[in-house]
Structures are given as C-alpha cells and as structure tokens.
Amino acid sequence: MGLTITFFLSLIIALVGVIPPGLLNMTAAKISLKEGYNRGLVFSMGVCLVVIFQTLIAVIFARYLSKHPEVIKVLQRVAFVLFVLIAIYFFVLAKKKPQPKIEQTRRSKQSRFFYGMLLSALNVFPIPYQAYMSLTLAGFGWLTFDNIGITSYVAGAATGTFVMLYVYVFLFEKIKSKRIKSQKNMNYSIGIITAVIAIVTLINIIKDL
C-alpha cells in the first residue's frame, strides 16, 4: 500500500512539473503536429528515459541530505543565490525578440528519440525539484529511501512525465492553426517558478536564523 501511494504521489508531482508550457512538452506537441503522433511519442520516450536517471540522482541526493541536515543549511544559501540568478536570466531572456525559425527537415524516429534525450538532459530543473519533493514526502513518511521505495518513486515520476507529454501530443491540435511561440512563455514560466522557489528558500533561511 505504501509503495502504491509513493508511486501515485510521484506521478502527480511529475504531472504538475510538466503541466506549464515549456521546452519539452511544446516540442513534443510541435513534432506531433508536423510529423505525426508516432514521432511525438518517440520523442517523449527519449525524454522519459533521461527523466528516470534525473529522478534517480535527485532521490539519492535527497537520501544523502536526509542523513546530513547540516548540509541542507549551506545548500539553502547557495540555492537561493542560484535561483535568483536563474530567475533574472530567464526574465531578461524572455524580453528578447525571438529569432526567425528555419523549417527543419523531417527526421527519423531514431533521431527524434535521441533529440528527446538531448533536450531532457539539458533541462536540469527536475533534479532540484524532485530532490525537494522527495525530501518533503519522506518527511511525511510517504517515501522511504530504500531500493524499493526509490524504484517506486522513479517509476511514478517517469510515468507522470510521459502521461503529460502524451496529453500535449494528442490534445493540442489547436496549435496547428497558430504559430508556436513557446520559447518566450517558457522563459517567463521558468523565471516565475525559480523566483517563487527563491522566495520560499529565503523564508526558510530566515526561519533558521
């Protein structure tokens, strides 16, 4: 029963993380609209393969932090500075005028799979996000940092990511009649999310003083 709860909580956490329009889900939708559903799903599978390893790294890191609470205080201060800088960077980037896009030639399914892996690897935000969320679940007793608990959490995260990408691939046909302008929205989304996390981190730092 505990493993089932861990799986579904992880699935929901991953769903929430992928819901805002961003690079991965909008790229999956664009590939689906231009090249067909199959290639959109192949791209999504490449994304999820990397998500498995990213989530595994995040949970192992969270397990280490749970045993060394003194490290968390140092990381909070470092994370606060980093999140502020990242937020500023993406807000500035979002104000820049988008460059005209060059039409890409049709790619093979295999290339789309590796393209999904590449973009997912460049998107490192899930690592701190999943580390924080897994620590939170462990604090409530909903996640145990043993092999079975970690496997259940990682499986839930990969499943949740794929489900949301699936939704983007199959249900966003209305994008077909519009020009996709996801880059600017993605930059603002990342900027807002990182700014909120920076504020929450600052509050936690002040509480510990």
Side-chain angles (χ1 to χ4, degrees), residues 93-107:
L93 195 63
K95 292 182 179 179
K96 292 184 178 180
K97 293 182 179 180
Q99 298 295 324
K101 294 183 180 179
I102 301 174
E103 281 295 321
Q104 296 180 345
T105 56
R106 191 177 181 88
R107 304 288 182 86

Side-chain angles (χ1 to χ4, degrees), residues 84-135:
V84 169
L85 293 176
I86 292 172
I88 293 173
Y89 171 78
F90 279 102
F91 280 131
V92 171
L93 195 63
K95 292 182 179 179
K96 292 184 178 180
K97 293 182 179 180
Q99 298 295 324
K101 294 183 180 179
I102 301 174
E103 281 295 321
Q104 296 180 345
T105 56
R106 191 177 181 88
R107 304 288 182 86
S108 67
K109 288 185 179 181
Q110 186 178 18
S111 68
R112 285 309 183 192
F113 180 81
F114 288 112
Y115 184 49
M117 291 182 61
L118 174 63
L119 288 191
S120 186
L122 294 175
N123 179 38
V124 296
F125 185 75
I127 296 178
Y129 172 69
Q130 291 290 2
Y132 176 79
M133 296 308 300
S134 59
L135 269 175

Side-chain angles (χ1 to χ4, degrees), residues 17-130:
V18 188
I19 284 176
L23 179 62
L24 297 178
N25 45 32
M26 294 302 286
T27 300
K30 182 170 67 174
I31 290 174
S32 173
L33 292 171
K34 289 186 175 182
E35 302 178 18
Y37 294 146
N38 289 337
R39 281 180 168 77
L41 291 178
V42 169
F43 170 85
S44 301
M45 287 188 285
V47 170
C48 291
L49 179 62
V50 175
V51 167
I52 290 174
F53 290 101
Q54 288 178 326
T55 307
L56 181 61
I57 292 171
V59 178
I60 291 175
F61 184 58
R63 180 173 62 182
Y64 170 81
L65 291 178
S66 67
K67 296 178 181 178
H68 299 82
E70 69 281 358
V71 180
I72 297 179
K73 294 182 179 180
V74 177
L75 290 178
Q76 279 181 334
R77 288 158 175 77
V78 175
F80 170 70
V81 175
L82 289 177
F83 282 129
V84 169
L85 293 176
I86 292 172
I88 293 173
Y89 171 78
F90 279 102
F91 280 131
V92 171
L93 195 63
K95 292 182 179 179
K96 292 184 178 180
K97 293 182 179 180
Q99 298 295 324
K101 294 183 180 179
I102 301 174
E103 281 295 321
Q104 296 180 345
T105 56
R106 191 177 181 88
R107 304 288 182 86
S108 67
K109 288 185 179 181
Q110 186 178 18
S111 68
R112 285 309 183 192
F113 180 81
F114 288 112
Y115 184 49
M117 291 182 61
L118 174 63
L119 288 191
S120 186
L122 294 175
N123 179 38
V124 296
F125 185 75
I127 296 178
Y129 172 69
Q130 291 290 2

Side-chain angles (χ1 to χ4, degrees), residues 189-203:
S189 297
I190 295 176
I192 292 171
I193 292 172
T194 50
V196 171
I197 294 176
I199 293 172
V200 173
T201 304
L202 178 61
I203 293 173

Side-chain angles (χ1 to χ4, degrees), residues 13 62 129-143 145 153:
I13 288 170
Y129 172 69
Q130 291 290 2
Y132 176 79
M133 296 308 300
S134 59
L135 269 175
T136 302
L137 293 184
F140 285 105
W142 295 332
L143 170 64
F145 289 122
Y153 188 89

